[in-house]
Structure formats: structure tokens, C-alpha cells
Amino acid sequence: MMPSLFEAELPPNDANYVPLSPVSFLKRAAHIYPDRDAVIHGERRYSYRQLHERSRRLASALERVGVQPGDRVALLAPNVPELLEAHYGVPGAGAVLVSINIRLEAQTIAFILRHSAAKVLICDREFGATARQALALLETRPLVVDIDDIQAGDGELIGELDYEAFLAQGDPTRALSLPENEWQSIALNYTSGTTGDPKGVVLHHRGAYLNACAGALIFQLGPRSVYLWTLPMFHCNGWSHTWAVTLSGGTHVCLRKVQTAPIYAAIAEHGVTHMSAAPVVMSMLIHAEQQFEWRSDQPVAVITGGAAPPSAVISAMEARGFSITHAYGMTESYGPSTLCLWQPGLDEQPLDARAQFMSRQGVAHPMLEEATVVDVDSGQPVPADGATLGELVVRGNTVMKGYLNNPEATRAAFADGWLHTGDLAVLHADGYVEIKDRSKDIIISGGENISSLEIEEVLYQHPGVIEAAVVARPDERWGETPHAFVTLRADAVANVCGDDLILWCRERLAHFKAPRHVSLVELPKTATGKIQKFVLREWARRPQEVPSETEH
């Protein structure tokens, strides 16, 4: 449709159009709250003025070593200030941020560096040895910059430059650049490789800006907020809270390792008001010996993802001064895309009723256009009866651009104008969605996605294995862990045990992906020979009835 004459006479200009980018949040915070603590990390403290200057230095230093707009800059680091600075300095140089999961093994890290064509790798010394192994697998080595964090302890420095020396090369007066087009890529995040190699999820400035705004709004962040980084910043850019907290003028409290004592100490010392936590973190908190004095006037707000929290967990967390909100999302949607938002009268409901309501994945967040459930075959909306099963789909401005160099997977993900999550859900009469099963057999353990197919492939490589199937087993601490059911060759039965197979997997996979339980059994099958995974899931839920189980 052609624009009307009236519209044609009113093109955008510098006065009424600025590309949306979360990079602008830091400039704003440094202007309004220059002396406010922006970052706390042990004894290190940076004001927003200092964080702005360090991020500008980083952008300038990257330019001086040849990083061009669109180039990729990778980070392999835990929740340290340098990773937060990279969320502004890297896109502020026009480059694309690649935050790598620190739990991955060298082979997968090498794949990510190669696939992303990273020009620079900024690596924390704790992961130097793993990074060195990954770099040895590459044909072209990126420039490596070491983060020598005082809290890292022992580690290996493998880079050409130290991070602080690298920053010293940068110009502190160089402004952080905004994109020429808000559709420009800001980050490249990698999935957990649930169907083979990890897929590179390309995110844009516009989506990051809007998702951060949604997070600040829903989480009720403000200049008095103190956010504790228990959620890894490498997970979907910290669910965009790397940008949302800065937008609000709040304080980022970095936590290198997620342990109960430092969490409670940080809450007490810094007056933490907000945090995000996988179910495993909540389990750690409620079973910790340390006591936390509940400030009834201001409980710590917690957003959790993964499996819905049971009523016992909700009750125990509330008793310790935490207020829980259940969220759902994926890398392709910048992290959380739906939340089980509070409704009037919910607080007066009995605990079991509240827990049942909170088990839902909820409704679309304010910056996501729509989330619904459609029939898997027809693509038509399912009735809102809380019973009819379909696929959860979402659409809106906080959905990825697509998968890097993978047009086939991109087309499949965006079929019929929706982002297809692959999760099976029902739609309730009030519009809230509730996931019932995962169609891709993904295991979510401690907030990490683990592919059952990847583990099965490794098990099948063992010379003594005939058949293998892996399902999720409920776990009080991790939420879920992989449980492998294996049939051995007749000549291997006397020589191979479950411990052997667990060790075999740990040598070939990241340790968190290896099965924690192995049962040596004949696998149940359908008449057509297909393994009945629903039977195995029942066995995993009733481990006392499973023969020949090995626990690790």
C-alpha cells in the first residue's frame, strides 16, 4: 500500500527517530546516576560513570585491533564485570557479542568460535586451559585477551593481552555507537545442540531493547534495585537483565560462583532486591544451613525458569523471604517470553492452589505480541479448555532474526508466521498457557538444556552397547537429570557396568550432560520396534522398580 500524501511529507528525521538499542541505557544511567554503584564484585566497585568509561574504552580498543561493524567478539567468562561491560562495549563498537557457556567442553567451544568466525576471544583465566584446547582445534585463531580476575584462583593465561592493558589502549571519550538500523545484530547466542551441533541464534538491537524494557517493567526494577547475578550472563544475555538493570539505574552484584553462602552474604551485605534462579538454585537456598532474616517489607523478588516449582519449594522460599514468579522462554526469544503473572486474589489462595496456578507458563510479556497454543497438524488454535494438547507458539518483536547460516532451520522455526517452540501445551480459559511435555525430549538440568539424542549417540559409540535411550529423571536438586536405559551385547554383560558407561560419556561430553543414572535393561518397544520412551519415563520416576540401576 502506498503511503498517503500526508504520510509521504513526514519522513523520520534525527529529531523523531533514533534506532532502538539497549546500548543507549548505559549513557542514560551514567548521566542520571553517575555516582551510583553500577557494579559490585567482591572488593571491586564501579560507578555508572566508570562503567560507561570502561565500556567506551572497550569499544575503542576493539576498533584499534581491527574489529569492524558486524564482526563477532566472543566472551568465555562467568558473572564478572568484564562480561557486563562487553554487553555495552562490543555492540557499542558495532560488533556482535558471542557469550559462550562456560560449562561446555573444548570441542563445542571450538565449534562456536569457528561457526561465529569470532575475531576476538576475551577469556577468563579459570577457563584458560579449556579455551587453549579449543583454540588448538581451529584453523584460524582469534586475538585472545585474558581476564585476570583476582577471584579466579588458579588458572591459565593464554592471551596476547591482559584485559586491563587492553582497555588502557582504548579512548575513554569515544562514544558508544548506536546501530544505523535497529534490525542490526547485537548478539549471537548458541543453543545447547539439542539436534546435533549448536545453532547460532541471531538477535537484533530492537528486540534486545524491548525485551530489556519488558524485564524492567515486569520485575519492577528501579534506581533502588539491587540485582544479584545468580543467573549466568551467558544464558540469553542474562535474560536481557544485563541491560534492564542498567536501564533502571539499579546495581549489578556479580557472583562468580553460585553457592549458598555467597548468595546469602550478598543479600545481607548489599540489600539485594532481585535475582533470577533456576530450580536448582532455589533447592540450594532452601536446604542451606545459613539462615536469612526475612525483611517482610521487601522480600527478594525471584524469577525462575525451567520446571514449575512444587508447592513445598514455594512455601520454603517464601519462608526465607523470597517471592517467586515462574517464567518460560528460550534462546530464540531472548530468554523469558511468557510469565505466570500475578492475579488479584492469588495471595489469599491456599498454598496448593497457588502452586497449581504457578505451574503454568503464563501469558506473553508486555513486549511480546502473542503467545498461544496451536494444533500440531493443522496449525489452528486449540480450544481454551485446559485439556486439548497443542504446540506453544509465540510471535513479536522479541523473537530472533533467525539461525546463522541455517536457512532450513530458520524456515522451520518460523513456519506459518510463528516461532515454534517444540513444547506441547494446553491453553486455559483465562488465556494462560501450561506446558505438558517437551516434544524434542530435551532434559532441563540445573537450567541447562541437554539433548537425549546427543547422549544416546555417545552411548551407541560404546562397543558393548546394542541399544540406548535417555529420558529425564526428576531430581530434587537439579530439577531433572539424564537417566540412560541401555541394552548390552551378550559378550559385554559380564565386563561392562553402569559406572563404565557413565565414565564413557563424561569423557566425551560436557560433564553436566553425562547421565547420572544408568539402567541395564531390555528396552520396551512397540509392535513396530519403536522404543517406548513414555514407559522409560515412568521407570525413571519409580527408580526403586528399575533393575540394574547405577547412580553416579
Side-chain angles (χ1 to χ4, degrees):
M1 180 182 295
M2 293 293 293
S4 68
L5 179 62
F6 175 77
E7 292 172 326
E9 292 173 346
L10 298 171
N13 59 70
D14 290 342
N16 61 21
Y17 173 77
V18 179
L20 300 181
S21 170
V23 173
S24 64
F25 298 158
L26 181 54
K27 178 182 177 182
R28 178 182 186 275
H31 174 68
I32 300 174
Y33 308 108
D35 300 318
R36 165 84 156 127
D37 281 339
V39 185
I40 299 175
H41 181 54
E43 298 300 316
R44 298 165 62 188
R45 287 177 182 256
Y46 299 135
S47 68
Y48 268 111
R49 180 188 292 110
Q50 292 171 306
L51 178 60
H52 191 211
E53 177 186 321
R54 289 174 63 85
S55 299
R56 286 183 293 176
R57 283 187 179 275
L58 176 57
S60 174
L62 289 171
E63 280 186 332
R64 292 186 178 187
V65 296
V67 172
Q68 302 291 321
D71 285 343
R72 271 72 72 190
V73 176
L75 270 290
L76 183 63
N79 288 346
V80 292
E82 291 81 359
L83 183 50
L84 180 64
E85 291 162 6
H87 278 78
Y88 298 94
V90 172
V96 180
L97 177 64
V98 185
S99 298
I100 301 176
N101 188 333
I102 59 176
R103 300 179 69 187
L104 294 174
E105 73 282 5
Q107 290 82 356
T108 304
I109 293 173
F111 171 84
I112 291 172
L113 293 173
R114 184 185 302 111
H115 187 263
S116 68
K119 202 161 188 176
V120 177
L121 169 64
I122 301 175
C123 178
D124 185 279
R125 70 177 301 161
E126 181 179 349
F127 308 99
T130 303
R132 175 176 47 77
Q133 296 172 27
L135 292 169
L137 301 174
L138 300 181
E139 299 75 25
T140 303
R141 174 188 169 110
L143 172 72
V144 180
V145 177
D146 289 316
I147 300 174
D148 192 5
D149 181 22
I150 193 172
Q151 294 187 22
D154 294 335
E156 190 172 332
L157 298 175
I158 61 171
E160 289 79 19
L161 287 168
D162 170 77
Y163 184 84
E164 294 301 324
F166 187 60
L167 283 196
Q169 297 179 3
D171 180 0
T173 66
R174 184 227 189 263
L176 295 175
S177 301
L178 296 182
E180 293 184 5
N181 187 318
E182 58 194 25
W183 185 250
Q184 184 175 316
S185 301
I186 188 173
L188 175 60
N189 295 331
Y190 280 82
T191 65
S192 299
T194 56
T195 54
D197 288 331
K199 294 193 286 290
V201 175
V202 185
L203 307 179
H204 48 80
H205 283 255
R206 175 184 177 83
Y209 181 102
L210 294 171
N211 208 59
C213 289
L217 177 61
I218 292 169
F219 225 176
Q220 298 182 9
L221 295 169
R224 293 186 177 88
S225 298
V226 179
Y227 183 87
L228 180 61
W229 276 104
T230 51
L231 169 74
M233 292 186 200
F234 60 70
H235 267 314
C236 308
N237 305 106
W239 295 354
S240 296
H241 293 149
T242 46
W243 299 306
V245 175
T246 299
L247 165 64
S248 306
T251 297
H252 300 262
V253 180
C254 293
L255 193 63
R256 186 178 184 90
K257 294 185 182 298
V258 180
Q259 299 169 330
T260 54
I263 290 174
Y264 280 116
I267 291 172
E269 181 179 357
H270 305 300
V272 169
T273 60
H274 297 78
M275 56 186 280
S276 303
V280 62
V281 177
M282 293 197 297
S283 178
M284 289 167 50
L285 292 173
I286 63 179
H287 291 105
E289 295 181 1
Q290 296 88 348
Q291 296 299 312
F292 170 54
E293 184 178 348
W294 182 19
R295 295 167 296 165
S296 58
D297 60 326
Q298 188 179 7
V300 179
V302 177
I303 290 183
T304 186
S311 58
V313 172
I314 295 172
S315 177
M317 287 290 284
E318 289 180 350
R320 286 184 174 246
F322 298 93
S323 175
I324 309 300
T325 299
H326 185 210
Y328 164 84
M330 54 198 305
T331 308
E332 290 85 342
S333 62
Y334 297 73
S337 53
T338 70
L339 295 100
C340 192
L341 294 179
W342 176 89
Q343 287 286 342
L346 182 63
D347 295 338
E348 287 71 46
Q349 292 290 322
L351 178 60
D352 287 345
R354 280 192 287 129
Q356 184 177 9
F357 178 83
M358 290 175 66
S359 69
R360 302 177 184 181
Q361 281 61 42
V363 294
H365 71 53
M367 303 300 171
L368 183 72
E369 189 66 23
E370 190 174 2
T372 192
V373 180
V374 299
D375 182 83
V376 174
D377 296 321
S378 69
Q380 296 301 306
V382 302
D385 56 9
T388 304
L389 204 62
E391 183 183 13
L392 175 59
V393 293
V394 301
R395 66 184 184 93
N397 292 301
T398 56
V399 169
M400 67 170 180
K401 296 173 70 171
Y403 296 115
L404 181 66
N405 299 330
N406 198 336
E408 183 177 343
T410 300
R411 283 193 296 270
F414 290 153
D416 302 320
W418 295 94
L419 170 62
H420 290 258
T421 68
D423 289 318
L424 302 178
V426 297
L427 183 66
H428 289 274
D430 57 8
Y432 281 57
V433 299
E434 181 181 358
I435 290 177
K436 293 296 186 179
D437 200 0
R438 288 186 290 277
S439 62
K440 298 177 184 176
D441 290 326
I442 296 172
I443 301 163
I444 302 179
S445 181
E448 301 282 358
N449 286 354
I450 303 173
S451 168
S452 60
L453 298 177
E454 183 180 9
I455 304 172
E456 290 165 8
E457 182 177 357
V458 170
L459 286 168
Y460 273 110
Q461 293 171 5
H462 191 284
V465 171
I466 297 177
E467 292 179 316
V470 177
V471 298
R473 170 171 171 156
D475 186 271
E476 184 173 318
R477 180 181 182 190
W478 299 104
E480 295 175 344
T481 56
H483 188 148
F485 293 87
V486 177
T487 302
L488 294 175
R489 297 172 60 91
D491 57 0
V493 171
N495 302 318
V496 178
C497 66
D499 281 338
D500 296 329
L501 297 175
I502 290 172
L503 180 61
W504 173 271
C505 291
R506 287 174 67 89
E507 290 174 345
R508 290 161 177 80
L509 295 167
H511 286 186
F512 73 91
K513 296 181 179 180
R516 294 176 63 87
H517 308 272
V518 172
S519 296
L520 304 178
V521 296
E522 288 292 327
L523 300 185
K525 298 185 179 70
T526 65
T528 58
K530 184 178 180 180
I531 296 172
Q532 295 176 311
K533 279 202 168 182
F534 71 93
V535 174
L536 298 182
R537 291 190 187 97
E538 285 301 313
W539 287 2
R541 293 189 184 99
R542 297 179 281 108
Q544 68 277 7
E545 299 178 23
V546 180
S548 305
E549 179 183 343
T550 296
E551 179 177 353
H552 189 80

